[in-house]
């Protein structure tokens, strides 16, 4: 089976009452037209991530993808874990792809969320801060929910952050 290796970030910053998390609303194929209107699409929230380039360390990929997809500069705190899934490529030959994504806890340093390059809009509809406490419920994918739970555990055990 085809394989893809990506890396991404759980980016947090202090807010008035706890922590915020940076998430993205990925661009998806336009909704399929059904009858008179378009089929309603549920809001899909995900973590910023992307393919690890040749010669790049997963950590560097996480930092780079976070910057490109959210507009934020952030530094790595700790690795949270890897998630795995299989998907079928919707384009071309409908290949099944086995994917591994390494996630890191990153701490916000600078930048404005959603101030991203125009050509990134092909991938990202928008980037936004949400309360970390709501993230497990709001994220679309099980594996990403797990990473958020690990981040919450880590933060609660490291009050110095
Ligand atoms: P990348 O962001 O790594 O460059 P991509 O945008 O090309 O990758 P994915 O985000 O892996 O591709 O999405 C490919 C398919 O897998 C989509 O149908 C998406 O809905 C699904 N998918 C994405 N993330 C997950 C996940 N954590 N668990 C299960 N399915 C997922």
């Amino acid at each position: 089976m085809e394989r893809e290796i990506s890396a991404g970030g759980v980016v947090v910053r202090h807010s008035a009452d706890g922590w915020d998390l940076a998430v993205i609303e990925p661009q998806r194929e336009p909704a399929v037209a059904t009858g008179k209107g378009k089929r309603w699409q549920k809001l899909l929230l995900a973590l910023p991530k992307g393919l690890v380039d040749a010669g790049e360390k997963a950590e560097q990929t996480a930092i780079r993808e976070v910057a490109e997809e959210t507009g934020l500069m952030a530094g790595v705190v700790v690795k949270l874990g890897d998630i795995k899934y299989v998907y079928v490529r919707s384009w071309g030959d409908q290949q099944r792809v086995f994917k591994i994504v390494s996630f890191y806890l990153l701490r916000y340093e600078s930048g404005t969320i959603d101030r991203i390059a125009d050509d990134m809009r092909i991938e990202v509809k928008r980037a936004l801060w949400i309360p970390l406490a709501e993230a497990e419920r709001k994220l679309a994918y099980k594996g990403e929910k797990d990473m958020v739970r690990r981040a919450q555990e880590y933060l609660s055990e490291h009050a110095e952050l």
Side-chain angles (χ1 to χ4, degrees):
M1 206 187 312
E2 193 90 351
R3 275 173 158 253
E4 281 178 4
I5 311 289
S6 281
V10 174
V11 184
V12 296
R13 72 162 185 201
H14 273 297
S15 73
D17 39 19
W19 293 94
D20 284 341
L21 171 73
V23 295
I24 65 166
E25 199 184 332
Q27 291 284 5
R28 290 182 290 174
E29 286 104 85
V32 180
T34 52
K36 286 192 189 114
K38 277 185 172 176
R39 190 185 292 161
W40 181 74
Q41 279 198 343
K42 192 175 177 292
L43 178 72
L44 193 154
L45 295 180
L47 296 173
K49 63 159 176 60
L51 293 177
V52 177
D53 286 341
E56 196 178 39
K57 290 216 169 73
E59 249 186 69
Q60 299 171 321
T61 307
I63 293 167
R64 176 178 58 74
E65 289 287 342
V66 162
E68 291 173 2
E69 296 192 339
T70 68
L72 305 176
M73 301 300 128
V76 171
V77 177
V78 71
K79 180 169 176 179
L80 292 169
D82 299 322
I83 68 170
K84 292 163 188 157
Y85 53 94
V86 173
Y87 75 93
V88 177
R89 273 197 192 134
S90 55
W91 44 272
D93 51 6
Q94 312 277 304
Q95 270 265 12
R96 270 161 63 85
V97 180
F98 177 73
K99 185 144 185 173
I100 303 175
V101 190
S102 299
F103 276 103
Y104 295 82
L105 176 62
L106 274 72
R107 199 169 176 184
Y108 167 78
E109 286 167 358
S110 63
T112 302
I113 199 145
D114 205 37
R115 193 173 288 172
I116 62 175
D118 286 343
D119 59 2
M120 281 308 300
R121 292 293 171 201
I122 299 163
E123 290 177 44
V124 179
K125 207 178 289 177
R126 66 180 173 133
L128 61 154
W129 291 109
I130 64 170
L132 183 62
E134 292 173 16
E136 202 183 329
R137 184 168 55 80
K138 287 190 171 167
L139 287 169
Y141 304 114
K142 159 88 171 47
E144 296 193 353
K145 291 174 191 279
D146 292 343
M147 293 301 118
V148 160
R149 201 174 318 116
R150 287 191 195 180
Q152 286 175 296
E153 282 164 14
Y154 187 91
L155 291 170
S156 66
E157 289 162 6
H158 294 80
E160 71 277 10
L161 289 169

